[in-house]
Every structure is written in C-alpha cells, then in structure tokens.
C-alpha cells in the first residue's frame, strides 16, 4: 500500500517521487498493472498530478502501456541491466580517477550510513545510501556532465537493486569496496581508484544480474 501524501496545491514532484520509490523498492512490482484512479485514491491526491507523474515515469522508461487500460510497471530485463552496469562502470572509473587527481575527501559519514542501512536490512535506505555514495564521487570529480549522465542510469539501476534486495541479502563486502575506493581517491591514486571503481561495478553487475535472473524465475508474472 502506498503512503498518503499530505494535502497541498502542487504535488507532482511528490507523487513522482513516491511512485519512483515504490517502483524501486518493489511496492509496485515489475509487471504490476496500475491505473490513474487507483493511485490517486491511494495517495489521497487528485488525478491531475498523478497523470503528470505517470507521464514522467513513462518517459523515464519505468512504465509502459498495458493491454486494454492502464499502465504496467516495466519488467526488468537482465541483459539491459547488464549493459547499464557496463556504462556505469566506465563512468564510475572516470569519476574516481578525476576525484583522485583532486585528492577529494569523500565524507566518512556516507560509509557509516551505508553500513548501518545494510545492518538494518532497510531496502530503501540501502538504495539511497548507495546512490548518495556514488553521487559524492561524481560531484568530487569536478565534471558536472558525469553527474548528469550517471544519474539518468541510476533511475533504472536502483530498480534492480530493490528487486534483488527484496529477495535476499546484499553482498557483505560492498561497503568495504566503497571504503577502499575512498582511500585511493584521498591518496590521489587515480589508477587504483579507477580500477577499484570499475571492479566494484563489475562485481555488482555479476551479482545483481544473476540474482535478478533467479528472482524473475521464482516470481509469478503479473496479469
């Protein structure tokens, strides 16, 4: 069930974010059929902001037309996710290398928050902590185009993270890898930072895609 949004005059962004979170953490599962009317009722808002949010999500590729009436949450395709992670790996490596040239200091609090979320098993917090960590590196690179390009892909990557995390534990060494990347950046070792970042993305791709394939095999398909 979706959480109701407090009453106000303009809630398109809130509705969009609420639906994006629900798609990412599996509350709205891949293949689920949704309608404007049902979402408006659940969120306690008028149909207009829901319609606009649905159009945005469809443009993002997170929704698609359902046979007959309504929309479907776009199903996750392991091959596409694998390809996205290849792009992410290249961007992460470049960002880490550039950040290392500046000997950037990635906030240690991000590591602590990530470990805490993982220990609690809070799926949404785990996703947000992971995104916050990588975004910090993108921003530390000093190249705003990396930030803009990478975050477009994260809209889809956070979905597979949610789908996999809902069906099992995350890799225990993720935040150890994050901490090693931070150390290389802080030390100004661009080559090591890039290698660790690309390896981290490759490890995530192999683990998430294989577990996604298993989850999709076990999960019933929505009508």
């Amino acid at each position: 069930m979706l959480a109701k949004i407090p009453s106000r005059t303009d809630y398109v962004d809130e509705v969009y974010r609420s639906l994006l979170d629900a798609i990412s953490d599996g509350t709205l599962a891949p293949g689920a059929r949704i309608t404007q009317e049902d979402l408006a009722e659940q969120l306690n808002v008028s149909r207009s902001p829901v319609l606009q949010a649905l159009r945005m999500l469809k443009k993002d590729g997170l929704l698609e037309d359902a046979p007959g009436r309504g929309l479907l949450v776009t199903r996750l395709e392991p091959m596409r996710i694998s390809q996205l992670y290849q792009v992410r790996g290249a961007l992460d490596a470049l960002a880490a290398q550039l950040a290392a040239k500046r000997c950037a200091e990635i906030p240690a609090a991000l590591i602590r928050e990530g470990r805490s979320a993982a220990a609690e098993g809070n799926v949404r917090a785990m996703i947000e902590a992971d995104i916050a960590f990588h975004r910090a590196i993108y921003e530390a690179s000093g190249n705003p185009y990396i930030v803009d390009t990478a975050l477009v892909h994260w809209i889809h990557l956070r979905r597979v993270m949610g789908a996999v995390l809902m069906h099992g534990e995350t890799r225990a060494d993720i935040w150890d890898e994050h901490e090693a990347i931070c150390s290389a950046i802080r030390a100004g070792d661009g080559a090591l930072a890039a290698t660790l970042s690309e390896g981290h993305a490759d490890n995530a791709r192999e683990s998430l895609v294989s577990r996604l394939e298993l989850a999709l095999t076990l999960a019933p398909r929505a009508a």
Side-chain angles (χ1 to χ4, degrees), residues 2 5 12-29 34 39 43 50 53-54 56-58 60-63 73 124 127-128 131 151-160 162-163:
L2 303 178
I5 293 176
V12 175
D13 289 342
E14 286 86 348
V15 171
Y16 173 85
R17 182 67 192 190
S18 177
L19 295 178
L20 177 61
D21 286 342
I23 291 171
S24 298
D25 68 16
T27 301
L28 293 175
I34 59 176
L39 292 177
L43 295 171
V50 173
L54 291 178
M56 293 164 64
L57 291 165
K58 187 176 178 181
D60 289 338
L62 299 176
L63 298 175
V73 177
R124 187 169 295 182
I127 294 172
E128 295 304 327
I131 293 173
L151 293 182
V152 169
H153 301 306
W154 273 94
I155 291 176
H156 298 280
L157 295 177
R158 73 202 304 263
R159 288 192 67 208
V160 70

Side-chain angles (χ1 to χ4, degrees), residues 150-215:
L151 293 182
V152 169
H153 301 306
W154 273 94
I155 291 176
H156 298 280
L157 295 177
R158 73 202 304 263
R159 288 192 67 208
V160 70
M161 291 175 64
V164 170
L165 292 173
M166 289 293 288
H167 288 85
E169 297 180 358
T170 184
R171 289 190 300 123
D173 57 352
I174 284 179
W175 288 96
D176 292 336
E177 292 177 7
H178 286 171
E179 192 161 14
I181 293 168
C182 287
S183 296
I185 291 174
R186 184 171 56 249
D189 192 335
L192 178 58
T195 298
L196 291 174
S197 293
E198 191 159 18
H200 173 68
D202 285 342
N203 290 339
R205 175 177 57 80
E206 293 174 4
S207 176
L208 291 175
V209 170
S210 65
R211 291 165 68 180
L212 172 61
E213 290 174 336
L214 177 61

Side-chain angles (χ1 to χ4, degrees), residues 24-208:
S24 298
D25 68 16
T27 301
L28 293 175
R33 182 186 293 267
I34 59 176
T35 65
Q36 178 185 347
E37 296 81 6
D38 182 52
L39 292 177
E41 181 179 354
Q42 289 192 55
L43 295 171
N44 192 36
V45 299
S46 66
R47 296 181 184 181
S48 179
V50 173
L51 177 60
Q52 293 180 64
L54 291 178
R55 286 173 175 168
M56 293 164 64
L57 291 165
K58 187 176 178 181
K59 183 178 180 181
D60 289 338
L62 299 176
L63 298 175
E64 59 189 37
D65 290 323
R69 180 170 173 270
L71 296 166
L72 293 177
V73 177
T74 304
R75 291 184 173 87
L76 292 165
E77 299 177 4
M79 177 58 73
R80 187 178 180 211
I81 295 300
S82 180
Q83 292 168 339
L84 282 171
Y85 262 94
Q86 289 174 337
V87 174
R88 175 196 156 179
L91 286 171
D92 283 6
L94 176 58
Q97 185 176 38
L98 292 175
K101 286 184 178 181
R102 309 169 77 193
C103 296
E105 186 74 37
I106 307 301
L110 294 175
I111 301 291
R112 292 195 299 271
E113 290 166 5
R115 291 189 187 280
S116 176
E120 293 173 3
N122 185 326
V123 172
R124 187 169 295 182
M126 291 162 72
I127 294 172
E128 295 304 327
D130 202 281
I131 293 173
F133 171 80
H134 288 285
R135 179 164 190 158
I137 296 178
Y138 302 151
E139 293 175 345
S141 73
N143 186 332
Y145 294 105
I146 292 178
V147 178
D148 294 342
T149 302
L151 293 182
V152 169
H153 301 306
W154 273 94
I155 291 176
H156 298 280
L157 295 177
R158 73 202 304 263
R159 288 192 67 208
V160 70
M161 291 175 64
V164 170
L165 292 173
M166 289 293 288
H167 288 85
E169 297 180 358
T170 184
R171 289 190 300 123
D173 57 352
I174 284 179
W175 288 96
D176 292 336
E177 292 177 7
H178 286 171
E179 192 161 14
I181 293 168
C182 287
S183 296
I185 291 174
R186 184 171 56 249
D189 192 335
L192 178 58
T195 298
L196 291 174
S197 293
E198 191 159 18
H200 173 68
D202 285 342
N203 290 339
R205 175 177 57 80
E206 293 174 4
S207 176
L208 291 175

